[in-house]
Amino acid sequence: MPMEKLVKGIHTFQQGFFSKHRELFEALAETGQKPETLFITCSDSRVDPNLITGSPPGDLFIVRNVGNVVPTADLPGGTAAAIEYAVEVLQVENIIICGHTQCGAMNAILNPETMENLPFVRKWLTQTTRVREILARGYGHLSAEARVTAAVEENVLAQLENLRDYPFVARRLEAGTLHVNGWVFDISSGAVFDYEPEEGEFKAIRAQ
Ligand SMILES: [Zn+2]
Protein backbone atom coordinates (compact mmCIF):
# COMPACT_ATOMS: atom_id res chain seq x y z
CA MET A 1 0.00 0.00 0.00
CA PRO A 2 1.48 3.35 -1.03
CA MET A 3 0.22 5.16 2.10
CA GLU A 4 1.78 2.64 4.46
CA LYS A 5 5.05 2.98 2.62
CA LEU A 6 4.95 6.76 3.12
CA VAL A 7 4.11 6.47 6.82
CA LYS A 8 6.99 4.05 7.30
CA GLY A 9 9.21 6.49 5.41
CA ILE A 10 8.26 9.35 7.75
CA HIS A 11 9.18 7.21 10.72
CA THR A 12 12.52 6.29 9.16
CA PHE A 13 13.21 9.97 8.37
CA GLN A 14 12.46 11.09 11.93
CA GLN A 15 14.54 8.35 13.54
CA GLY A 16 17.38 8.62 11.05
CA PHE A 17 18.17 11.74 8.97
CA PHE A 18 16.23 14.18 11.15
CA SER A 19 17.69 13.09 14.46
CA LYS A 20 21.20 13.14 12.96
CA HIS A 21 20.66 16.66 11.59
CA ARG A 22 18.43 18.10 14.28
CA GLU A 23 20.59 21.19 14.69
CA LEU A 24 20.30 22.03 10.99
CA PHE A 25 16.51 21.89 11.11
CA GLU A 26 16.42 23.93 14.33
CA ALA A 27 18.66 26.59 12.76
CA LEU A 28 16.54 26.67 9.60
CA ALA A 29 13.38 27.04 11.69
CA GLU A 30 14.91 29.83 13.75
CA THR A 31 16.68 31.91 11.12
CA GLY A 32 14.45 31.16 8.12
CA GLN A 33 15.59 30.01 4.72
CA LYS A 34 18.46 31.49 2.77
CA PRO A 35 18.75 29.22 -0.26
CA GLU A 36 21.61 29.91 -2.68
CA THR A 37 19.99 28.36 -5.72
CA LEU A 38 16.65 28.41 -7.45
CA PHE A 39 16.27 25.01 -9.10
CA ILE A 40 13.61 24.73 -11.80
CA THR A 41 12.91 21.22 -12.97
CA CYS A 42 10.27 18.81 -14.22
CA SER A 43 7.68 17.13 -11.99
CA ASP A 44 9.01 13.74 -13.10
CA SER A 45 9.40 11.44 -10.08
CA ARG A 46 12.83 10.25 -11.28
CA VAL A 47 14.43 13.66 -10.90
CA ASP A 48 15.43 14.46 -7.32
CA PRO A 49 17.21 17.84 -7.15
CA ASN A 50 18.54 17.44 -3.60
CA LEU A 51 19.76 13.92 -4.24
CA ILE A 52 21.56 14.61 -7.52
CA THR A 53 23.30 17.73 -6.20
CA GLY A 54 23.95 16.44 -2.67
CA SER A 55 22.12 19.48 -1.26
CA PRO A 56 20.81 19.50 2.32
CA PRO A 57 17.47 21.11 3.25
CA GLY A 58 17.69 24.90 3.03
CA ASP A 59 20.03 25.06 0.02
CA LEU A 60 17.67 24.71 -2.94
CA PHE A 61 14.48 26.65 -3.61
CA ILE A 62 12.73 24.27 -5.96
CA VAL A 63 10.09 24.95 -8.60
CA ARG A 64 8.71 21.94 -10.41
CA ASN A 65 6.19 21.71 -13.20
CA VAL A 66 5.43 19.64 -16.26
CA GLY A 67 8.38 20.12 -18.63
CA ASN A 68 10.38 22.58 -16.45
CA VAL A 69 8.67 25.47 -18.18
CA VAL A 70 9.33 29.12 -17.38
CA PRO A 71 6.16 30.89 -18.49
CA THR A 72 6.62 33.95 -20.66
CA ALA A 73 6.64 37.15 -18.64
CA ASP A 74 3.10 38.18 -19.62
CA LEU A 75 1.58 34.95 -18.29
CA PRO A 76 0.89 35.08 -14.56
CA GLY A 77 0.99 31.89 -12.53
CA GLY A 78 2.54 29.94 -9.69
CA THR A 79 5.83 29.31 -11.45
CA ALA A 80 6.43 32.99 -12.22
CA ALA A 81 5.48 33.92 -8.64
CA ALA A 82 7.99 31.44 -7.22
CA ILE A 83 10.75 32.73 -9.51
CA GLU A 84 9.97 36.34 -8.58
CA TYR A 85 10.05 35.49 -4.87
CA ALA A 86 13.33 33.58 -5.15
CA VAL A 87 15.05 36.38 -7.08
CA GLU A 88 13.59 39.45 -5.40
CA VAL A 89 13.12 38.33 -1.79
CA LEU A 90 15.41 35.37 -1.21
CA GLN A 91 18.11 36.89 -3.42
CA VAL A 92 19.31 33.55 -4.78
CA GLU A 93 22.69 33.69 -6.53
CA ASN A 94 22.09 30.90 -9.05
CA ILE A 95 19.20 29.71 -11.15
CA ILE A 96 19.33 26.29 -12.73
CA ILE A 97 16.81 25.05 -15.24
CA CYS A 98 17.16 21.28 -15.32
CA GLY A 99 15.54 19.12 -17.96
CA HIS A 100 15.91 15.34 -18.05
CA THR A 101 16.12 12.47 -20.50
CA GLN A 102 12.93 10.58 -21.41
CA CYS A 103 10.81 13.60 -20.47
CA GLY A 104 7.12 12.80 -21.00
CA ALA A 105 6.35 16.46 -21.62
CA MET A 106 8.85 16.63 -24.48
CA ASN A 107 7.49 13.40 -25.91
CA ALA A 108 4.02 14.99 -25.76
CA ILE A 109 5.01 18.14 -27.63
CA LEU A 110 6.53 15.97 -30.36
CA ASN A 111 3.38 13.86 -30.46
CA PRO A 112 0.53 16.32 -29.74
CA GLU A 113 -2.14 13.68 -30.37
CA THR A 114 -1.21 12.10 -27.00
CA MET A 115 -2.58 15.25 -25.30
CA GLU A 116 -6.03 15.06 -26.90
CA ASN A 117 -7.76 14.27 -23.61
CA LEU A 118 -5.44 16.35 -21.44
CA PRO A 119 -6.65 19.94 -21.89
CA PHE A 120 -4.57 21.35 -19.03
CA VAL A 121 -1.36 19.72 -20.19
CA ARG A 122 -2.03 20.84 -23.75
CA LYS A 123 -2.58 24.44 -22.68
CA TRP A 124 0.47 24.47 -20.41
CA LEU A 125 2.74 23.09 -23.11
CA THR A 126 1.65 25.65 -25.70
CA GLN A 127 4.47 27.62 -24.10
CA THR A 128 6.90 25.24 -25.74
CA THR A 129 5.65 25.79 -29.29
CA ARG A 130 9.01 27.27 -30.21
CA VAL A 131 10.73 24.01 -29.27
CA ARG A 132 8.45 22.05 -31.60
CA GLU A 133 9.24 24.46 -34.43
CA ILE A 134 13.01 24.16 -33.87
CA LEU A 135 12.73 20.37 -33.83
CA ALA A 136 10.68 20.30 -37.01
CA ARG A 137 13.24 22.49 -38.78
CA GLY A 138 16.52 20.94 -37.76
CA TYR A 139 16.07 17.48 -36.28
CA GLY A 140 13.87 15.57 -38.72
CA HIS A 141 16.56 12.98 -39.39
CA LEU A 142 16.88 11.73 -35.80
CA SER A 143 15.39 8.58 -34.26
CA ALA A 144 12.35 9.03 -31.97
CA GLU A 145 14.44 8.74 -28.80
CA ALA A 146 17.13 11.13 -30.04
CA ARG A 147 14.41 13.61 -30.98
CA VAL A 148 13.09 13.58 -27.40
CA THR A 149 16.62 14.23 -26.08
CA ALA A 150 17.08 17.05 -28.59
CA ALA A 151 13.72 18.50 -27.50
CA VAL A 152 14.83 18.28 -23.85
CA GLU A 153 17.95 20.32 -24.65
CA GLU A 154 16.20 22.84 -26.88
CA ASN A 155 13.50 23.26 -24.26
CA VAL A 156 16.06 24.07 -21.54
CA LEU A 157 17.54 26.74 -23.83
CA ALA A 158 14.11 28.16 -24.69
CA GLN A 159 13.17 28.35 -21.01
CA LEU A 160 16.48 30.08 -20.20
CA GLU A 161 15.49 32.76 -22.71
CA ASN A 162 12.09 33.18 -21.06
CA LEU A 163 13.85 33.45 -17.72
CA ARG A 164 16.17 36.20 -18.94
CA ASP A 165 13.12 38.11 -20.18
CA TYR A 166 11.79 38.68 -16.66
CA PRO A 167 12.79 42.28 -15.84
CA PHE A 168 13.85 41.38 -12.29
CA VAL A 169 16.11 38.60 -13.64
CA ALA A 170 17.54 40.82 -16.39
CA ARG A 171 18.40 43.51 -13.82
CA ARG A 172 20.35 41.14 -11.60
CA LEU A 173 22.12 39.48 -14.54
CA GLU A 174 23.17 42.94 -15.68
CA ALA A 175 24.45 43.73 -12.18
CA GLY A 176 26.40 40.45 -12.13
CA THR A 177 24.71 39.25 -8.93
CA LEU A 178 22.92 36.31 -10.53
CA HIS A 179 24.05 33.37 -12.65
CA VAL A 180 21.87 31.10 -14.75
CA ASN A 181 22.64 27.62 -16.03
CA GLY A 182 20.84 25.08 -18.19
CA TRP A 183 21.24 21.45 -17.21
CA VAL A 184 20.07 18.07 -18.42
CA PHE A 185 19.96 15.10 -16.06
CA ASP A 186 20.44 11.70 -17.66
CA ILE A 187 18.31 9.26 -15.69
CA SER A 188 19.99 6.08 -16.90
CA SER A 189 23.62 7.14 -16.25
CA GLY A 190 23.22 9.72 -13.47
CA ALA A 191 25.27 12.20 -15.50
CA VAL A 192 24.40 15.89 -15.42
CA PHE A 193 25.13 18.05 -18.48
CA ASP A 194 25.63 21.81 -18.38
CA TYR A 195 25.09 24.07 -21.37
CA GLU A 196 28.31 25.83 -22.44
CA PRO A 197 27.27 28.94 -24.41
CA GLU A 198 30.72 29.43 -25.97
CA GLU A 199 30.75 25.94 -27.41
CA GLY A 200 27.03 25.78 -28.03
CA GLU A 201 26.65 22.36 -26.46
CA PHE A 202 25.79 20.48 -23.29
CA LYS A 203 28.84 19.02 -21.56
CA ALA A 204 29.03 16.54 -18.69
CA ILE A 205 29.76 18.13 -15.33
CA ARG A 206 32.75 16.41 -13.76
CA ALA A 207 34.03 16.51 -10.20
CA GLN A 208 36.72 19.13 -9.71
ZN1 LIG B 1 9.84 15.64 -17.57
Side-chain angles (χ1 to χ4, degrees):
M1 290 285 285
M3 190 60 191
E4 283 167 22
K5 212 162 87 182
L6 296 178
V7 170
K8 198 160 162 264
I10 290 171
H11 182 74
T12 306
F13 162 70
Q14 289 167 343
Q15 301 298 311
F17 190 92
F18 184 84
S19 50
K20 265 197 226 121
H21 299 88
R22 186 178 291 273
E23 283 173 14
L24 168 66
F25 285 93
E26 281 170 1
L28 287 172
E30 200 166 308
T31 60
Q33 62 169 335
K34 188 78 188 77
E36 300 154 347
T37 298
L38 164 61
F39 199 97
I40 302 168
T41 193
C42 187
S43 299
D44 194 294
S45 61
R46 298 165 295 180
V47 182
D48 187 328
N50 288 90
L51 191 66
I52 66 178
T53 61
S55 298
D59 276 11
L60 301 181
F61 191 80
I62 301 171
V63 177
R64 306 187 73 146
N65 62 47
V66 172
N68 40 270
V69 168
V70 174
T72 48
D74 55 346
L75 257 177
T79 295
I83 296 170
E84 184 181 50
Y85 186 76
V87 173
E88 295 280 70
V89 179
L90 298 174
Q91 293 284 314
V92 293
E93 295 161 31
N94 298 306
I95 303 179
I96 289 160
I97 299 179
C98 184
H100 66 97
T101 54
Q102 298 167 321
C103 183
M106 295 307 108
N107 191 49
I109 65 165
L110 293 174
N111 303 284
E113 70 282 0
T114 59
M115 295 187 280
E116 252 163 45
N117 298 317
L118 303 170
F120 289 99
V121 174
R122 200 168 60 226
K123 196 166 174 203
W124 177 248
L125 290 179
T126 54
Q127 298 177 75
T128 61
T129 308
R130 201 165 62 202
V131 177
R132 198 181 311 155
E133 288 166 0
I134 294 170
L135 265 285
R137 274 205 307 271
Y139 293 91
H141 57 291
L142 296 179
S143 69
E145 200 187 335
R147 273 165 60 79
V148 172
T149 304
V152 167
E153 295 183 350
E154 291 292 348
N155 181 50
V156 166
L157 300 182
Q159 304 313 323
L160 278 174
E161 277 182 38
N162 289 352
L163 183 66
R164 292 192 188 98
D165 282 346
Y166 288 114
F168 52 88
V169 170
R171 266 198 304 275
R172 287 203 42 209
L173 285 173
E174 182 80 10
T177 58
L178 182 68
H179 298 94
V180 298
N181 285 78
W183 285 6
V184 172
F185 172 60
D186 183 339
I187 294 169
S188 62
S189 72
V192 179
F193 298 84
D194 182 29
Y195 183 71
E196 305 271 358
E198 296 86 34
E199 293 162 61
E201 59 181 316
F202 284 82
K203 300 195 106 170
I205 298 175
R206 306 197 189 282
Q208 290 171 352

Short mmCIF file of all heavy atoms in Angstrom, two decimals, residues 66 108 112-127 132:
data_model
loop_
_atom_site.label_atom_id
_atom_site.label_comp_id
_atom_site.label_asym_id
_atom_site.label_seq_id
_atom_site.Cartn_x
_atom_site.Cartn_y
_atom_site.Cartn_z
N VAL A 66 5.35 20.54 -15.12
CA VAL A 66 5.43 19.64 -16.26
C VAL A 66 6.33 20.26 -17.33
O VAL A 66 6.02 21.32 -17.88
CB VAL A 66 4.02 19.36 -16.82
CG1 VAL A 66 4.09 18.59 -18.13
CG2 VAL A 66 3.19 18.61 -15.79
N ALA A 108 5.37 14.51 -25.44
CA ALA A 108 4.02 14.99 -25.76
C ALA A 108 4.04 16.13 -26.78
O ALA A 108 3.20 16.17 -27.67
CB ALA A 108 3.32 15.45 -24.48
N PRO A 112 1.64 15.58 -30.37
CA PRO A 112 0.53 16.32 -29.74
C PRO A 112 -0.76 15.50 -29.60
O PRO A 112 -1.57 15.78 -28.72
CB PRO A 112 0.30 17.51 -30.68
CG PRO A 112 1.50 17.60 -31.55
CD PRO A 112 2.12 16.24 -31.59
N GLU A 113 -0.91 14.47 -30.45
CA GLU A 113 -2.14 13.68 -30.37
C GLU A 113 -2.28 12.96 -29.02
O GLU A 113 -3.37 12.63 -28.60
CB GLU A 113 -2.22 12.68 -31.54
CG GLU A 113 -1.23 11.51 -31.51
CD GLU A 113 0.19 11.91 -31.96
OE1 GLU A 113 0.41 13.09 -32.29
OE2 GLU A 113 1.07 11.02 -31.97
N THR A 114 -1.15 12.77 -28.32
CA THR A 114 -1.21 12.10 -27.00
C THR A 114 -1.83 13.01 -25.94
O THR A 114 -2.13 12.57 -24.83
CB THR A 114 0.20 11.69 -26.52
OG1 THR A 114 1.01 12.87 -26.43
CG2 THR A 114 0.85 10.70 -27.46
N MET A 115 -2.01 14.31 -26.28
CA MET A 115 -2.58 15.25 -25.30
C MET A 115 -4.05 15.55 -25.56
O MET A 115 -4.62 16.44 -24.95
CB MET A 115 -1.79 16.57 -25.33
CG MET A 115 -0.35 16.43 -24.87
SD MET A 115 0.45 18.04 -24.75
CE MET A 115 0.86 18.40 -26.45
N GLU A 116 -4.66 14.78 -26.50
CA GLU A 116 -6.03 15.06 -26.90
C GLU A 116 -6.99 15.17 -25.72
O GLU A 116 -7.85 16.04 -25.67
CB GLU A 116 -6.53 13.96 -27.85
CG GLU A 116 -6.66 14.46 -29.28
CD GLU A 116 -6.75 13.32 -30.27
OE1 GLU A 116 -7.50 12.36 -30.01
OE2 GLU A 116 -6.03 13.38 -31.29
N ASN A 117 -6.84 14.27 -24.75
CA ASN A 117 -7.76 14.27 -23.61
C ASN A 117 -7.14 14.89 -22.36
O ASN A 117 -7.58 14.62 -21.24
CB ASN A 117 -8.20 12.83 -23.31
CG ASN A 117 -8.95 12.24 -24.48
OD1 ASN A 117 -9.79 12.91 -25.09
ND2 ASN A 117 -8.62 11.00 -24.84
N LEU A 118 -6.12 15.70 -22.57
CA LEU A 118 -5.44 16.35 -21.44
C LEU A 118 -5.41 17.86 -21.67
O LEU A 118 -4.37 18.44 -21.97
CB LEU A 118 -4.00 15.81 -21.31
CG LEU A 118 -3.84 14.29 -21.15
CD1 LEU A 118 -2.38 13.89 -21.28
CD2 LEU A 118 -4.39 13.84 -19.80
N PRO A 119 -6.58 18.51 -21.53
CA PRO A 119 -6.65 19.94 -21.89
C PRO A 119 -5.70 20.82 -21.10
O PRO A 119 -5.13 21.79 -21.65
CB PRO A 119 -8.11 20.31 -21.61
CG PRO A 119 -8.64 19.22 -20.73
CD PRO A 119 -7.86 17.98 -21.07
N PHE A 120 -5.46 20.50 -19.84
CA PHE A 120 -4.57 21.35 -19.03
C PHE A 120 -3.12 21.21 -19.47
O PHE A 120 -2.38 22.17 -19.57
CB PHE A 120 -4.72 21.03 -17.54
CG PHE A 120 -6.02 21.48 -16.96
CD1 PHE A 120 -7.07 20.60 -16.80
CD2 PHE A 120 -6.21 22.81 -16.59
CE1 PHE A 120 -8.29 21.01 -16.27
CE2 PHE A 120 -7.42 23.24 -16.07
CZ PHE A 120 -8.47 22.34 -15.91
N VAL A 121 -2.72 19.97 -19.72
CA VAL A 121 -1.36 19.72 -20.19
C VAL A 121 -1.14 20.41 -21.53
O VAL A 121 -0.14 21.08 -21.76
CB VAL A 121 -1.10 18.19 -20.32
CG1 VAL A 121 0.27 17.94 -20.95
CG2 VAL A 121 -1.18 17.52 -18.95
N ARG A 122 -2.14 20.26 -22.41
CA ARG A 122 -2.03 20.84 -23.75
C ARG A 122 -1.84 22.35 -23.67
O ARG A 122 -0.98 22.92 -24.32
CB ARG A 122 -3.29 20.49 -24.55
CG ARG A 122 -3.09 20.61 -26.05
CD ARG A 122 -4.25 19.98 -26.80
NE ARG A 122 -5.51 20.63 -26.47
CZ ARG A 122 -6.64 19.97 -26.16
NH1 ARG A 122 -6.67 18.68 -26.16
NH2 ARG A 122 -7.74 20.64 -25.87
N LYS A 123 -2.64 22.98 -22.82
CA LYS A 123 -2.58 24.44 -22.68
C LYS A 123 -1.23 24.86 -22.09
O LYS A 123 -0.59 25.81 -22.55
CB LYS A 123 -3.73 24.91 -21.79
CG LYS A 123 -3.98 26.38 -21.91
CD LYS A 123 -5.31 26.75 -21.29
CE LYS A 123 -5.43 28.27 -21.32
NZ LYS A 123 -6.36 28.76 -20.32
N TRP A 124 -0.81 24.14 -21.07
CA TRP A 124 0.47 24.47 -20.41
C TRP A 124 1.63 24.38 -21.39
O TRP A 124 2.51 25.24 -21.44
CB TRP A 124 0.67 23.53 -19.22
CG TRP A 124 1.97 23.69 -18.49
CD1 TRP A 124 3.00 22.81 -18.44
CD2 TRP A 124 2.38 24.82 -17.71
NE1 TRP A 124 4.01 23.30 -17.67
CE2 TRP A 124 3.66 24.54 -17.20
CE3 TRP A 124 1.78 26.04 -17.36
CZ2 TRP A 124 4.37 25.43 -16.39
CZ3 TRP A 124 2.49 26.93 -16.56
CH2 TRP A 124 3.76 26.62 -16.08
N LEU A 125 1.61 23.33 -22.21
CA LEU A 125 2.74 23.09 -23.11
C LEU A 125 2.69 23.92 -24.40
O LEU A 125 3.61 23.86 -25.20
CB LEU A 125 2.87 21.59 -23.43
CG LEU A 125 3.33 20.73 -22.23
CD1 LEU A 125 3.40 19.26 -22.63
CD2 LEU A 125 4.67 21.18 -21.65
N THR A 126 1.63 24.73 -24.56
CA THR A 126 1.65 25.65 -25.70
C THR A 126 2.82 26.62 -25.56
O THR A 126 3.26 27.22 -26.53
CB THR A 126 0.35 26.48 -25.83
OG1 THR A 126 0.12 27.14 -24.59
CG2 THR A 126 -0.84 25.61 -26.19
N GLN A 127 3.33 26.74 -24.33
CA GLN A 127 4.47 27.62 -24.10
C GLN A 127 5.78 27.05 -24.64
O GLN A 127 6.83 27.68 -24.55
CB GLN A 127 4.61 27.90 -22.60
CG GLN A 127 3.38 28.60 -22.07
CD GLN A 127 3.44 28.82 -20.59
OE1 GLN A 127 4.15 29.69 -20.13
NE2 GLN A 127 2.72 28.02 -19.85
N ARG A 132 8.97 22.93 -30.55
CA ARG A 132 8.45 22.05 -31.60
C ARG A 132 8.89 22.57 -32.98
O ARG A 132 9.26 21.80 -33.85
CB ARG A 132 6.93 21.97 -31.52
CG ARG A 132 6.36 20.79 -32.27
CD ARG A 132 4.86 20.75 -32.20
NE ARG A 132 4.40 20.90 -30.82
CZ ARG A 132 3.20 21.37 -30.50
NH1 ARG A 132 2.36 21.76 -31.42
NH2 ARG A 132 2.83 21.46 -29.23
#
